[in-house]
């Protein structure tokens, strides 16, 4: 009798496992642009993120509606991807607070290209992303030094990545950034280079990084201006690696009870 009960327990347990498989992680790709320049690459970036999600067993939702930025809705997501957002991307202070609370609860964030040119009057956002866009020279080929080859966003690269892109000049860098890629400024043509960045960063200017911020994990890349980037296997691997890193377990304690710094 005991053996039959044990077998019944095992069978019921297995049925429970197969009836309730672990839910897929869900990510939100946010593409809101306020008044001003809007990147033509957005539809291409969205398709790339959908394919990344499919390849990595993730559910991908896409929106450019600031109304999705509320605490209840964001609780569904394992990562927020701000893909070429630009200028003012929130309508209310409550929406901003929802993002702050999401990060404090241990959420993950990935910013791509002009995500650093979003909400420029909000210091907390710049600190979370890791830097704030200042300007860029003309779209051109230049060399990128791989600072950290042991990160999933850069492990596919050699010592140098030769790429055509907008070389973003940024400031307000978060000192906790772990720099992954840096532009070799000696290869960038810009008649105003001495105005900024000049020699502030020596020969190399950070372009991609990751860091842990107030309980969350953040990956940012300044690259990705060209629509063709989003069908380039190397760039897609770069994005995928950044996303998978952001989705990893956070070793630091949750800051869910921490007061907002916004």
């Amino acid at each position: 009798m005991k053996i039959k009960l044990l077998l019944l327990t095992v069978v019921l347990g297995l049925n429970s496992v197969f009836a309730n498989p672990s839910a897929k992680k869900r990510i939100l790709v946010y593409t809101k642009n306020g008044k001003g320049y809007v990147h033509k690459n957005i539809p291409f970036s969205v398709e790339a993120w959908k394919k990344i999600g499919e390849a990595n067993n993730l559910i991908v939702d896409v929106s450019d509606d600031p109304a999705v930025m509320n605490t209840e809705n964001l609780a569904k997501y394992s990562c927020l991807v701000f893909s070429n957002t630009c200028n003012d991307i929130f309508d209310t202070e409550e929406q901003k607070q929802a993002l702050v609370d999401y990060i404090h609860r241990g959420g993950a964030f990935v910013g791509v290209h002009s995500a650093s040119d979003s909400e420029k009057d909000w210091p907390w956002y710049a600190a979370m992303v890791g830097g704030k866009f200042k300007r860029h020279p003309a779209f051109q080929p230049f060399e990128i030094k791989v600072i950290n080859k042991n990160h999933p966003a850069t492990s596919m690269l050699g010592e140098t990545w030769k790429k055509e892109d907008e070389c973003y000049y940024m400031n307000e860098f978060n000192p906790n950034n772990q720099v992954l890629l840096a532009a070799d400024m000696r290869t960038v043509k810009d008649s105003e280079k001495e105005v900024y960045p000049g020699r502030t960063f020596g020969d190399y200017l950070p372009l991609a990084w990751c860091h842990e911020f107030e309980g969350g994990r953040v990956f940012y890349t300044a690259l990705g201006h060209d629509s063709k980037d989003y069908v380039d296997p190397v760039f897609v691997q770069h994005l995928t690696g950044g996303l998978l890193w952001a989705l990893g377990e956070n070793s630091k304690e949750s800051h869910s009870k921490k007061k907002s710094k916004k």
Side-chain angles (χ1 to χ4, degrees):
M1 187 65 179
K2 289 183 178 179
I3 294 176
K4 289 183 178 180
L5 288 173
L6 179 60
L7 288 173
L8 180 60
T9 301
V10 171
V11 170
L12 289 174
L14 289 173
N15 286 340
S16 176
V17 168
F18 289 113
N20 299 287
S22 58
K24 288 183 179 181
K25 289 185 177 180
R26 184 184 294 266
I27 69 172
L28 173 64
V29 177
Y30 187 56
T31 61
K32 172 67 176 178
N33 274 246
K35 186 179 295 186
Y37 182 81
V38 179
H39 279 82
K40 296 177 182 179
N41 63 24
I42 290 175
F44 300 90
S45 74
V46 166
E47 286 305 307
W49 283 113
K50 287 180 179 178
K51 290 178 181 178
I52 289 171
E54 183 177 355
N56 292 276
N57 198 35
L58 302 168
I59 298 171
V60 178
D61 293 338
V62 180
S63 180
D64 63 359
D65 184 356
V68 301
M69 294 292 159
N70 65 78
T71 300
E72 182 179 0
N73 187 54
L74 294 187
K76 300 187 299 189
Y77 297 106
S78 297
C79 186
L80 308 181
V81 178
F82 280 32
S83 190
N84 296 284
T85 57
C86 199
N87 300 307
D88 295 331
I89 58 175
F90 298 103
D91 289 339
T92 68
E93 291 300 312
E94 288 77 14
Q95 291 166 359
K96 291 182 179 181
Q97 186 63 49
L99 175 61
V100 173
D101 293 342
Y102 173 82
I103 293 296
H104 287 177
R105 287 193 300 273
F109 178 92
V110 169
V112 180
H113 197 51
S114 56
S116 62
D117 196 20
S118 306
E119 296 294 334
K120 287 178 284 190
D121 296 326
W122 186 14
W124 182 91
Y125 179 83
M128 186 272 294
V129 171
K132 183 167 76 170
F133 172 79
K134 187 174 178 66
R135 71 176 185 90
H136 66 78
F139 182 86
Q140 62 183 284
F142 60 97
E143 294 184 4
I144 301 167
K145 182 176 177 60
V146 180
I147 305 298
N148 183 348
K149 293 183 64 175
N150 297 318
H151 191 278
T154 54
S155 60
M156 76 296 300
L157 301 171
E159 297 291 336
T160 302
W161 188 6
K162 295 181 180 180
K163 193 177 185 310
E164 192 174 24
D165 213 313
E166 288 179 340
C167 182
Y168 266 23
Y169 297 168
M170 289 178 279
N171 56 17
E172 298 190 23
F173 289 101
N174 189 316
N176 292 323
N177 290 347
Q178 299 178 40
V179 178
L180 306 174
L181 299 173
D184 184 339
M185 296 303 295
R186 298 169 298 184
T187 67
V188 177
K189 297 177 181 178
D190 177 16
S191 61
E192 299 180 14
K193 191 189 300 182
E194 292 307 312
V195 177
Y196 187 87
R199 295 291 303 169
T200 302
F201 301 93
D203 291 329
Y204 297 99
L205 181 69
L207 285 182
W209 53 76
C210 62
H211 67 135
E212 296 191 359
F213 181 78
E214 297 186 6
R217 290 169 71 93
V218 176
F219 167 80
Y220 171 79
T221 181
L223 303 172
H225 172 77
D226 197 339
S227 297
K228 294 193 295 291
D229 285 332
Y230 298 93
V231 292
D232 172 45
V234 175
F235 185 71
V236 171
Q237 286 181 63
H238 176 57
L239 294 181
T240 302
L243 172 65
L244 295 180
W245 178 87
L247 287 170
E249 292 185 5
N250 191 344
S251 60
K252 294 191 175 182
E253 62 181 355
S254 172
H255 288 63
S256 59
K257 296 181 180 179
K258 190 170 184 176
K259 187 177 180 181
S260 164
K261 291 186 176 182
K262 84 179 183 72

